[in-house]
Structures are given as structure tokens and as C-alpha cells.
Amino acid sequence: MDLRTLTYFVVIAEELNITKAAKILNMSQPPLSNQMKGLEEELGTKLFIRGKRQLTLTEEGKYLYQKSKDILGLVDKTTTEIRDMNNALTGTISIGLVEGMAPDIAAQWISDYMRQYPSVHFRVVDGNSDDLIEKMRAGLISLAVVTAPIDANLLNSIKVGEEKLGLFMNKDHPLASTQKNITIHDIKNEPLIVPSRKATSDYIRKWFRPLRVEPNIVCEMDNYLDAAALAGRSVGISVFPRTGYILNSSIVRKEIEGVSSSIEYYFVWRKGHMLSVIEENFIDYIQAIVTKK
């Protein structure tokens, strides 16, 4: 299971067709098929279900695909970092961003930093806070902007922002036209769409404890745009950071009254983890910005 074989496997998994994959890899079909058969024999399992026109990934194949992407991504990142060690402030910074305020915060950083160091480029990785922290553990990214809570034993952190959670609903929902602020009592029986991160969903559940009821959470998800789509289709009321959506004509945003609804954003990096020259410089740059405020 070497890197070349994993590269072949990823291309086939994405194309689900040996002939197309062989063309992309600029090789003939029989050797490629033999490589996959050898990989399956080595692992002792089927990775593909072979149909007449295309392939289908087995559960084992899906798992190997995700792991292969991580492994190949780590190889690319390591290669870049080693080159950067001899090239001063050139190269690529990989940074993970949660949705909400994080993209806006980081966009200003990146814009200003690239003006100062035009040879530095950025690779942005999206995900929820738990996903991004796991990628940091795996070495796939070194820097990220995530939401609280964070593990102070694992991560160095700088607070870079704060905002409130809002309620997003279809414009025809009865609560959408009310002029008063909305309380937890108003939504205690409403179907809710909340972030999938456990810490955030637990935070929302605590709002309802004084009422001695469990919130009616019908869906948990990572992607704010998907949550907005469900709210726009009246599946439920979305509870997400206020900057999470670009509002359209079908969605109304309301404030929540009577509970603490703020979430905090932190710029983080792993303790004891070796960073590249440009990553160290970027951290110093962010620290300088925050100190000035």
C-alpha cells in the first residue's frame, strides 16, 4: 500500500471507471486493474463492486478513500513545509476555518498578509471545530479558527471574535412577523436545526432547562447554507451564528432574548507541534493585530 498505489486508488474512487482513471493517469487499463486487485488482496477485502458500466465503492473502499486523501494531503503538506524551511517567507499556509465569522476574520488577515508577503499563498480548509481540531491532530493543518470550547492542554489560542446565535426561519412562519423579541418559551415546541458540534448543541439544550423541556431538535448539521435551505423550506428554525447566512427573500432572522447566546472564536495552533517558518511568522502577525485592538 505505497503512495503510488493510493494515488491510483483515489483517482479510480473519484471516477468510478477504470478506463477514465487510466486516461487521467496516462497509463493502460490492465496494469491499473492489476494494481487494484493487488491492493484488495493485500488488505483482504473488496474495495469496489464491479458493475457493467461503473464501479461502486464498498464501505471499506469509502473508508480507504477518506484515509488516502488524508495521507496524500499530509505528504503534500510535509513536502511544502520542508521546502519552506529553506525558502524563508515563501510557500503555502494551510488554515482551517469554521463557518460564521471565521471566514470574514481570516479574509482580512490573508489579504493584508499577502500584500506584505506576495510569495506566500493560502489553502483554506472548511469544517466544524471538531473536524478541524482532528485534522490538526493528524497534521493535515497547523492553524485554524474554531469556536469555544477548546482544549487548553492541546492548543495555544488567541480570542479573535465573538457573536450571538440567531434564529433563522421562513418568512411565512408565525414568529417571523412578530415585533417582540423571541424567547426560549416561544420556540420550546418548534422543530430546530442546530450545529452538529456536540458542545454547541449541548449549549443550546441548556437554554431549555429552566422550562424543564427538551428542545425539539430535528436536524444537526455542519453546513450553514444547508441549514438555511432547510429553514427556507420550513423544515424548522435554524439556530446558527448571525453571520452564517447571506439572507434571501425567503428567510427572516430574529434575535433570542433572555439567554446567553454568544459564541467565541479562537485562532489556534497545537502545543509542542513544530511549525514552518511562514506559520510561525503568521502567528506573530495575528498576535500583533490582536494586541493593537
Side-chain angles (χ1 to χ4, degrees), residues 57-104:
L57 284 171
T58 62
E59 287 303 311
E60 294 83 356
K62 292 176 182 177
Y63 180 79
L64 181 61
Y65 172 71
Q66 292 299 327
K67 291 298 181 182
S68 297
K69 293 282 284 185
D70 287 347
I71 291 168
L72 295 173
L74 182 56
V75 170
D76 288 341
K77 183 175 183 292
T78 303
T79 302
T80 299
E81 288 177 350
I82 291 173
R83 289 172 179 165
D84 290 345
M85 292 172 72
N86 292 320
N87 292 326
L89 291 179
T90 64
T92 301
I93 295 174
S94 296
I95 182 170
L97 300 177
V98 295
E99 291 182 301
M101 281 183 69
D104 288 335

Side-chain angles (χ1 to χ4, degrees):
M1 195 164 59
D2 57 29
L3 293 176
R4 183 180 64 176
T5 303
L6 291 182
T7 301
Y8 292 169
F9 170 74
V10 166
V11 174
I12 295 171
E14 291 176 344
E15 295 300 321
L16 295 176
N17 184 290
I18 289 285
T19 302
K20 290 181 180 179
K23 287 181 180 179
I24 291 171
L25 294 166
N26 196 28
M27 62 188 296
S28 59
Q29 183 176 332
L32 186 58
S33 296
N34 290 334
Q35 285 275 358
M36 290 305 101
K37 288 178 182 177
L39 181 59
E40 288 179 324
E41 290 173 2
E42 179 183 349
L43 295 174
T45 188
K46 289 288 185 184
L47 300 173
F48 301 98
I49 298 171
R50 291 162 173 82
K52 290 183 179 179
R53 299 196 174 203
Q54 69 173 29
L55 305 171
T56 303
L57 284 171
T58 62
E59 287 303 311
E60 294 83 356
K62 292 176 182 177
Y63 180 79
L64 181 61
Y65 172 71
Q66 292 299 327
K67 291 298 181 182
S68 297
K69 293 282 284 185
D70 287 347
I71 291 168
L72 295 173
L74 182 56
V75 170
D76 288 341
K77 183 175 183 292
T78 303
T79 302
T80 299
E81 288 177 350
I82 291 173
R83 289 172 179 165
D84 290 345
M85 292 172 72
N86 292 320
N87 292 326
L89 291 179
T90 64
T92 301
I93 295 174
S94 296
I95 182 170
L97 300 177
V98 295
E99 291 182 301
M101 281 183 69
D104 288 335
I105 295 169
Q108 187 62 56
W109 296 345
I110 292 170
S111 175
D112 293 344
Y113 193 81
M114 289 180 67
R115 276 196 290 269
Q116 294 183 46
Y117 305 103
S119 295
V120 174
H121 304 283
F122 284 82
R123 181 175 73 93
V124 175
V125 178
D126 298 321
N128 68 31
S129 294
D130 291 338
D131 292 338
L132 295 177
I133 292 170
E134 189 56 39
K135 288 184 185 297
M136 296 183 88
R137 288 180 184 274
L140 297 173
I141 57 175
S142 298
L143 312 173
V145 179
V146 299
T147 54
I150 58 173
D151 184 351
N153 294 319
L154 175 69
L155 302 172
N156 296 298
S157 65
I158 303 171
K159 184 179 175 181
V160 293
E162 183 175 346
E163 71 171 329
K164 290 185 176 181
L165 294 169
L167 301 175
F168 297 83
M169 63 195 72
N170 184 278
K171 63 180 178 61
D172 295 326
H173 192 284
L175 291 175
S177 58
T178 182
Q179 298 301 312
K180 70 181 183 68
N181 290 326
I182 295 176
T183 66
I184 297 305
H185 187 274
D186 295 322
I187 61 171
K188 67 177 182 179
N189 296 318
E190 294 289 338
L192 302 179
I193 303 160
V194 304
S196 61
R197 190 186 188 198
K198 187 176 185 303
T200 307
S201 60
D202 286 347
Y203 179 56
I204 293 170
R205 284 185 170 90
K206 287 180 182 178
W207 294 347
F208 295 83
R209 286 181 183 172
L211 301 182
R212 297 184 180 180
V213 298
E214 276 291 313
N216 181 21
I217 295 175
V218 296
C219 189
E220 298 182 6
M221 56 197 346
D222 295 333
N223 188 283
Y224 290 19
L225 294 179
D226 292 344
L230 293 182
R233 292 290 183 178
S234 300
V235 173
I237 296 174
S238 292
V239 188
F240 276 83
R242 291 188 299 185
T243 58
Y245 304 142
I246 298 173
L247 293 176
N248 60 49
S249 59
S250 68
I251 299 175
V252 172
R253 184 182 73 202
K254 291 289 184 178
E255 304 298 323
I256 311 167
E257 186 181 73
V259 294
S260 173
S261 61
S262 293
I263 58 171
E264 298 174 330
Y265 292 84
Y266 286 87
F267 176 60
V268 298
W269 65 99
R270 276 178 60 191
K271 291 183 174 179
H273 177 68
M274 185 175 179
L275 299 169
S276 67
V277 173
I278 54 175
E279 288 169 341
E280 291 276 12
N281 184 268
F282 189 67
I283 291 171
D284 291 341
Y285 168 76
I286 301 304
Q287 288 176 321
I289 290 176
V290 174
T291 301
K292 288 179 182 178
K293 291 183 177 180

